[in-house]
């Protein structure tokens, strides 16, 4: 971990000496995270999290012992301006060095800012030559970006790296919609699919949680999906690589480790009009844990579990689709892409009204689950009665 912390500083010291304007590491503030929000008066609030290389090296090497106070490895500053670029330029009045944005790892967007629309932020970030396109983007729920960036985790000296790590871990479990800046640039211009961005919340002064999804329509935040609705959405859109699904069994619980999944969307047409949405999901999994009383030694036992697993996954997909249709009228799934591809003439006529059409269509959802391995133990580990 110490090597990881120092790697950023050492890498930057090499890269920056070769930049076109020969920027010295001592003359810049290395930005590791940035937040964008909107104040009540409509002005933009930009927050930066800056790493101090000397302090980070001191922390990692264990220097500064003997009771001497160690400098903090990062500091956080905010500034309010008319625009994002105005706030960043004006921030020079309170920071001592030039802000270097190419090292940014995480971008946190505020809830108020997103409700007014994110096009302003994307316009600035797309034009700025320092933008790091692999930055992870999140929307803060019930908390400001500044409050998120001021979290001080025990497990990581640089909070931005801690946040990025939680995103990676949660994405593996299919509980957050991971969105990088480069994908957001593409998605915002796509009229066939509405934008979704991962959600972040604050647990306490040392901990954040990256679970759930922010739902947009026409570039504006309209609502949220919780962690289970998010997973249903990811199952349907073929974005689940692995996850653990808990299913109810007689007098106990069971966890299924999903190891393979595929999702397919379609739109059925009748008489030249869309009549039904179709979602088909196939998945494979293994029994990871079982606390019930029954043995699992026949094909019939496994078949029953497959049916229950299919129902649980279908339930999550239904919850996600209901939210998108009934609450938000936002085609985050991308059914519009299917219509655009296979019915281009119809799409040209209705693309501006597609979200409303999408929200009224019935859906046929089919989930087929296969359990490949039940493990070496056929009976649960329980005391003999």
């Amino acid at each position: 971990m110490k090597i990881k912390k120092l790697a950023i500083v050492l890498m930057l010291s090499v890269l920056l000496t070769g930049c076109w304007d020969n920027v010295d590491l001592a003359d810049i503030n290395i930005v590791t995270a940035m937040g964008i929000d909107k104040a009540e008066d409509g002005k933009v609030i930009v927050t930066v999290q800056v790493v101090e290389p000397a302090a980070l090296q001191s922390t990692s090497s264990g220097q500064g012992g003997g009771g001497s106070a160690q400098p903090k490895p990062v500091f956080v500053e905010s500034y309010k301006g008319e625009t994002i670029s105005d706030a960043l330029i004006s921030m020079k009045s309170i920071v001592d060095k030039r802000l270097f944005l190419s090292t940014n790892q995480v971008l946190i967007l505020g809830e108020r800012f997103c409700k007014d629309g994110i096009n302003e932020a994307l316009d600035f970030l797309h034009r700025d030559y320092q933008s790091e396109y692999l930055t992870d983007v999140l929307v803060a729920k019930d908390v400001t970006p500044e409050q998120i960036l001021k979290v001080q985790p025990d497990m990581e000296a640089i909070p931005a790296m801690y946040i990025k790590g939680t995103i990676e871990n949660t994405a593996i479990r299919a509980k957050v919609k991971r969105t990088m800046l480069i994908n957001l640039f593409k998605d915002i211009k796509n009229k066939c699919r509405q934008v979704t961005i991962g959600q972040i919340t604050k647990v306490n002064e040392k901990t954040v949680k990256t679970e759930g999804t922010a739902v947009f329509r026409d570039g504006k935040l309209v609502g949220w999906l919780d962690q289970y609705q998010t997973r249903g959405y990811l199952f349907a859109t073929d974005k689940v690589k692995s996850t653990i699904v808990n299913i109810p069994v007689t007098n106990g619980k069971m966890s299924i480790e999903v190891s393979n999944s595929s999702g397919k969307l379609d739109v059925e047409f009748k008489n030249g009009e869309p009549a039904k949405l179709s979602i088909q999901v196939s998945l494979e999994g293994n029994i990871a844990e079982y606390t019930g009383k029954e043995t699992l030694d026949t094909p019939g036992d496994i078949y029953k579990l497959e049916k229950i697993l299919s129902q649980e996954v279908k339930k999550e997909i239904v919850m996600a689709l209901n939210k998108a249709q009934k609450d938000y009228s936002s085609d985050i799934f991308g059914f519009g892409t299917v219509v655009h591809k296979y019915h281009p003439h119809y799409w040209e006529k209705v693309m501006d009204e597609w979200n409303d059409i999408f929200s009224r269509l019935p859906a046929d959802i089919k989930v087929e689950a296969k359990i490949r391995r039940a493990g070496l133990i056929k009976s649960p580990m329980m005391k003999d009665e």
Side-chain angles (χ1 to χ4, degrees):
M1 186 62 69
K2 292 180 179 179
I3 295 175
K4 177 182 176 183
K5 296 172 184 175
L6 286 172
I8 297 177
V9 179
L10 296 175
M11 179 183 67
L12 287 170
S13 64
V14 174
L15 292 177
L16 295 178
T17 54
C19 292
W20 65 272
D21 54 356
N22 292 322
V23 178
D24 193 285
L25 187 62
D27 296 330
I28 62 171
N29 281 313
I30 302 171
V31 176
T32 53
M34 186 166 74
I36 302 174
D37 204 358
K38 188 162 284 188
E40 292 183 0
D41 60 6
K43 291 186 177 181
V44 176
I45 302 172
V46 174
T47 303
V48 293
Q49 182 184 104
V50 176
V51 65
E52 292 281 14
L56 182 63
Q57 185 173 3
S58 175
T59 301
S60 299
S61 62
Q63 298 174 2
S68 60
Q70 293 185 358
K72 291 184 178 181
V74 299
F75 69 85
V76 176
E77 291 289 350
S78 296
Y79 204 94
K80 184 165 66 172
E82 296 295 334
T83 63
I84 298 171
S85 55
D86 176 44
L88 279 171
I89 291 294
S90 301
M91 196 179 290
K92 289 183 177 181
S93 64
I94 59 173
V95 298
D96 58 343
K97 304 168 188 175
R98 167 186 166 188
L99 295 173
F100 190 75
L101 302 178
S102 296
T103 50
N104 189 29
Q105 300 293 305
V106 179
L107 173 63
I108 310 294
L109 302 178
E111 195 169 345
R112 182 183 285 119
F113 181 83
C114 290
K115 286 181 178 178
D116 287 342
I118 61 174
N119 286 359
E120 178 183 353
L122 296 183
D123 181 83
F124 164 76
L125 294 167
H126 202 274
R127 293 174 188 274
D128 186 39
Y129 74 95
Q130 289 194 61
S131 291
E132 169 52 60
Y133 280 21
L134 297 183
T135 296
D136 274 294
V137 185
L138 295 163
V139 179
K141 186 175 188 289
D142 300 327
V143 65
T144 67
E146 182 179 15
Q147 291 170 320
I148 291 289
L149 296 184
K150 284 186 174 180
V151 167
Q152 298 181 340
D154 289 333
M155 59 193 77
E156 177 61 70
I158 304 176
M161 302 307 296
Y162 158 68
I163 293 172
K164 196 173 186 72
T166 66
I167 299 169
E168 293 170 351
N169 290 338
T170 311
I172 291 173
R173 298 186 296 116
K175 295 293 186 70
V176 70
K177 165 60 166 57
R178 188 175 189 183
T179 307
M180 291 188 174
L181 188 57
I182 187 171
N183 303 121
L184 197 52
F185 288 149
K186 297 175 183 177
D187 293 344
I188 200 69
K189 296 180 180 179
N190 188 351
K191 293 186 177 181
C192 301
R193 180 200 301 270
Q194 294 297 310
V195 167
T196 54
I197 302 176
Q199 170 188 310
I200 186 170
T201 55
K202 180 180 176 182
V203 178
N204 52 47
E205 297 304 318
K206 297 182 178 181
T207 312
V208 300
K209 181 184 290 185
T210 50
E211 287 185 339
T213 300
V215 177
F216 289 74
R217 175 170 172 169
D218 300 329
K220 296 182 178 182
L221 177 67
V222 292
W224 310 89
L225 301 180
D226 66 23
Q227 57 176 309
Y228 299 107
Q229 295 160 356
T230 293
R231 187 164 63 182
Y233 159 64
L234 295 175
F235 266 121
T237 54
D238 196 25
K239 294 293 193 298
V240 174
K241 303 299 181 183
S242 64
T243 188
I244 295 290
V245 179
N246 299 317
I247 64 174
V249 293
T250 304
N251 298 321
K253 299 177 182 178
M254 179 176 289
S255 293
I256 305 294
E257 181 183 7
V258 175
S259 57
N260 188 27
S261 173
S262 64
K264 182 180 179 181
L265 305 177
D266 197 8
V267 181
E268 298 180 15
F269 270 65
K270 287 185 178 180
N271 301 320
E273 298 284 335
K276 183 188 297 184
L277 305 176
S278 173
I279 299 175
Q280 295 185 2
V281 173
S282 298
L283 61 98
E284 296 179 0
N286 307 312
I287 298 176
E289 186 175 352
Y290 177 40
T291 63
K293 295 183 178 181
E294 298 179 353
T295 57
L296 306 172
D297 53 5
T298 70
D301 296 329
I302 300 300
Y303 178 76
K304 290 178 183 178
L305 295 178
E306 290 173 342
K307 288 298 182 182
I308 298 172
L309 177 58
S310 297
Q311 292 169 1
E312 288 298 310
V313 172
K314 180 177 179 178
K315 185 191 302 181
E316 293 181 356
I317 296 172
V318 169
M319 290 191 300
L321 185 60
N322 283 343
K323 277 285 185 180
Q325 286 186 304
K326 299 177 181 179
D327 293 352
Y328 308 138
S329 293
S330 176
D331 181 13
I332 59 175
F333 291 82
F335 288 101
T337 303
V338 178
V339 178
H340 177 258
K341 182 177 181 179
Y342 296 105
H343 305 274
H345 296 298
Y346 175 81
W347 177 255
E348 288 181 8
K349 295 187 297 181
V350 305
M351 59 180 174
D352 291 334
E353 295 82 33
W354 171 248
N355 285 296
D356 296 324
I357 297 172
F358 154 80
S359 66
R360 297 192 297 266
L361 293 174
D364 179 29
I365 302 173
K366 295 180 180 179
V367 178
E368 181 179 354
K370 293 292 182 183
I371 296 177
R372 297 303 182 188
R373 292 201 302 270
L376 297 177
I377 301 173
K378 303 301 181 182
S379 301
M381 299 292 289
M382 299 183 66
K383 294 181 180 180
D384 293 333
E385 296 182 357

